[in-house]
Amino acid sequence: MRRRIQRAAATTAARAAAAVSRLTRRGGGTAISGLVAQAVWPHYVPDGLNSLSRLVLVSGTNGKTTTTALIAAALRAAGHEVWTNPTGSNLERGIAAALARRAAWHGGQRRERSAVGVFEVDEWALASLLPRLSPTLVVLLNLFRDQLDRYGEIDTTAGAWRQVVAGLPDTTTVLANADDPLVASVAEAHPGRVDWFGSDRLGAAADLDPWADVRGCPTCGEPLVYDAVAFAHLGRWRCPTGDLVRPSPDVAIAAAQPRGVDRLALTLTADGWQCEADVPLPGLYSAYNVAAAVAAARALGIGPAQALDAVAQTGPAFGRAEVIPTPHGEIVLLLTKNPTSANQVLDLLAAEPEQLDTLVLLNDGVADGEDVSWIWDVEFERLRPRRLTLGGRRAHDLELRVKYAGVQPLDGSVAVEPGIAKPLDRALSRADGRMAVVATYTAMLDVRAVCVARGWTTPYWSDA
């Protein structure tokens, strides 16, 4: 009885906080309501998640929001009730807020015995949260250098993951990226079932990108040999000593071909089955997200073909190749957060048949990483925009970086305007047709907020 009273009180307080946040236009309450719930009852998140019929957790540096949305779509298509955190708020407080939004008036969870939970979890939050949970499936996407001032080096994150994964019950299935040697070394620590996704024939070059984060075997330290590199340190790798062996993927990417900045044609194989799909998601990195989602659905008892069909009908999450119409033309909002994601976005832009007008926004908020030195590992040398505008709080850092990269827009000039609204207006005033907006996380939220205020789109939390 005491537990039910605590849960009810926490839920009521959280929902009140969210309502105040939205009424006062301070935001969607995707963080403050969770903080309130946890303050009232510290066990709110583990109690709520463990009460769901099945629980799927998705973590990794890149692709969490998209993969979570795709898994949720596959489950819904199979007739399941799904609880999730679509706002991308993936710290424990964000999960608390997502749970509170689904709660009944009395504080209990609605239909808790039939709902499946699919939640994205921040890399460090996973390490602290996992020992308190009994998940059905844990999806480990990748580990890339990101927010060094918060996470530190990726070996530190991998070590924390390895410790909690080793402590999972053997009733939990771990689904891991076979193409990431660091993630593979983490998954190997699990005492129970491990499923894998990865590539069969993706990539050709045998040399790692110069900014790749993993070069040595996580087990013995010997330099890894790559037979093919998809991007960064993802690919078909092997340790020359045999200490760590790349697993064979259960769901494999047989082919992937980006089609512009917002679509991808890919072929997946699994269990002797092969299927092609055209998905409304961009870049090779999306092929991994789709493969992970289909493999997750497979682990949950959904056929790969059925899952891929559902995934192919699911559009991008907010800010991830999201297309926003404006009175001056469409903008395509492309989130970047680290060298790997930024270089993948530059690959997308470079593959466009016609160069796009481009706005690049760099912020240095806590969620972006206050240390912006990572932009020097972004290969801006490949950027060939029609017109280029730079903005964000660190616009002048970008200006210096693109100057050293020798970026030459077709119109011959680079416009620099610190902030968000002013550079957006300046870029739109010069744009001719569709414009790419490349933005770090808080810059993406800020530019969306400008678009929302002008009636061009809806708040990202409005459908949550």
Side-chain angles (χ1 to χ4, degrees):
M1 177 60 75
R2 182 178 180 184
R3 170 174 164 266
R4 294 189 63 179
I5 293 173
Q6 289 173 312
R7 174 195 274 184
T11 301
T12 302
R15 293 179 68 166
V20 170
S21 179
R22 296 186 182 195
L23 285 172
T24 58
R25 299 182 181 275
R26 295 183 176 180
T30 58
I32 185 62
S33 61
L35 287 171
V36 169
Q38 289 180 280
V40 174
W41 192 32
H43 302 294
Y44 190 75
V45 169
D47 181 83
L49 294 182
N50 286 329
S51 69
L52 295 166
S53 63
R54 289 189 288 179
L55 175 62
V56 180
L57 302 176
V58 180
S59 195
T61 307
N62 294 344
K64 294 185 289 292
T65 302
T66 297
T67 305
T68 299
L70 297 180
I71 295 172
L75 284 164
R76 289 190 181 108
H80 294 279
E81 169 80 9
V82 177
W83 291 16
T84 186
N85 52 344
T87 65
S89 188
N90 56 28
L91 297 174
E92 189 165 339
R93 60 180 180 244
I95 297 170
L99 289 169
R101 278 195 299 278
R102 302 301 300 266
W105 65 269
H106 51 72
Q109 309 290 339
R110 297 189 185 97
R111 303 174 65 182
E112 61 186 355
R113 296 301 175 192
S114 60
V116 180
V118 184
F119 290 85
E120 68 164 286
V121 188
D122 168 86
E123 300 93 292
W124 268 112
L126 182 73
S128 67
L129 194 56
L130 206 52
R132 293 176 281 159
L133 301 177
S134 300
T136 309
L137 179 66
V138 177
V139 182
L140 304 177
L141 295 173
N142 48 58
L143 282 173
F144 299 116
R145 187 172 14 126
D146 187 39
Q147 299 184 55
L148 289 177
D149 43 4
R150 176 168 171 247
Y151 295 124
E153 294 292 344
I154 55 175
D155 290 340
T156 305
T157 305
W161 275 15
R162 199 173 289 116
Q163 184 174 354
V164 295
V165 165
L168 283 170
D170 58 12
T171 52
T172 296
T173 297
V174 169
L175 171 64
N177 188 343
D179 288 2
D180 187 328
L182 203 53
V183 167
S185 74
V186 170
E188 293 285 356
H190 180 45
R193 172 181 164 182
V194 180
D195 288 2
W196 302 94
F197 67 94
S199 63
D200 263 353
R201 293 185 287 275
L202 204 60
D207 294 329
L208 287 170
D209 291 318
W211 39 269
D213 297 317
V214 178
R215 296 177 179 277
C217 172
T219 301
C220 68
E222 284 294 310
L224 293 169
V225 177
Y226 276 81
D227 297 317
V229 177
F231 63 88
H233 60 264
L234 303 189
R236 295 193 296 280
W237 52 270
R238 51 192 166 88
C239 172
T241 69
D243 281 347
L244 187 65
V245 177
R246 177 182 176 271
S248 178
D250 298 287
V251 173
I253 307 162
Q257 181 60 51
R259 293 181 174 173
V261 296
D262 53 6
R263 298 202 72 86
L264 173 74
L266 81 165
T267 303
L268 297 183
T269 61
D271 308 325
W273 156 92
Q274 176 172 309
C275 191
E276 299 177 356
D278 186 285
V279 299
L281 299 168
L284 293 180
Y285 56 94
S286 290
Y288 280 94
N289 298 335
V290 172
V294 171
R298 173 181 175 272
L300 296 168
I302 301 171
Q306 182 183 1
L308 184 57
D309 184 57
V311 164
Q313 299 177 47
T314 304
F318 69 98
R320 284 84 171 167
E322 178 186 18
V323 178
I324 299 177
T326 83
H328 313 283
E330 287 184 341
I331 63 174
V332 183
L333 194 47
L334 298 161
L335 172 66
T336 63
K337 50 189 293 189
N338 47 49
T340 297
S341 60
N343 284 319
Q344 282 288 290
V345 166
L346 292 183
D347 281 346
L348 280 179
L349 297 178
E352 279 288 284
E354 293 185 2
Q355 300 304 318
L356 297 177
D357 294 309
T358 304
L359 167 64
V360 185
L361 300 170
L362 176 66
N363 274 0
D364 59 355
V366 173
D368 304 292
E370 295 171 325
D371 178 357
V372 297
S373 60
W374 59 271
I375 63 174
W376 292 89
D377 281 334
V378 178
E379 295 181 330
F380 283 104
E381 290 79 359
R382 290 183 281 156
L383 183 60
R384 294 287 182 271
R386 185 164 47 197
R387 303 176 185 84
L388 178 62
T389 305
L390 306 176
R393 287 203 293 266
R394 302 296 287 268
H396 292 300
D397 292 77
L398 272 177
E399 181 183 15
L400 183 64
R401 177 66 189 97
V402 301
K403 177 182 179 182
Y404 274 86
V407 177
Q408 292 292 331
L410 294 183
D411 79 339
S413 67
V414 178
V416 182
E417 187 79 62
I420 299 295
K422 287 184 178 179
L424 174 63
D425 288 338
R426 188 165 179 179
L428 286 172
S429 70
R430 304 196 305 155
D432 180 15
R434 176 178 268 198
M435 183 176 79
V437 178
V438 181
T440 56
Y441 185 72
T442 68
M444 180 271 288
L445 295 180
D446 289 347
V447 79
R448 277 198 101 265
V450 172
C451 294
V452 169
R454 295 177 179 180
W456 299 345
T457 189
T458 56
Y460 66 90
W461 41 263
S462 59
D463 295 329

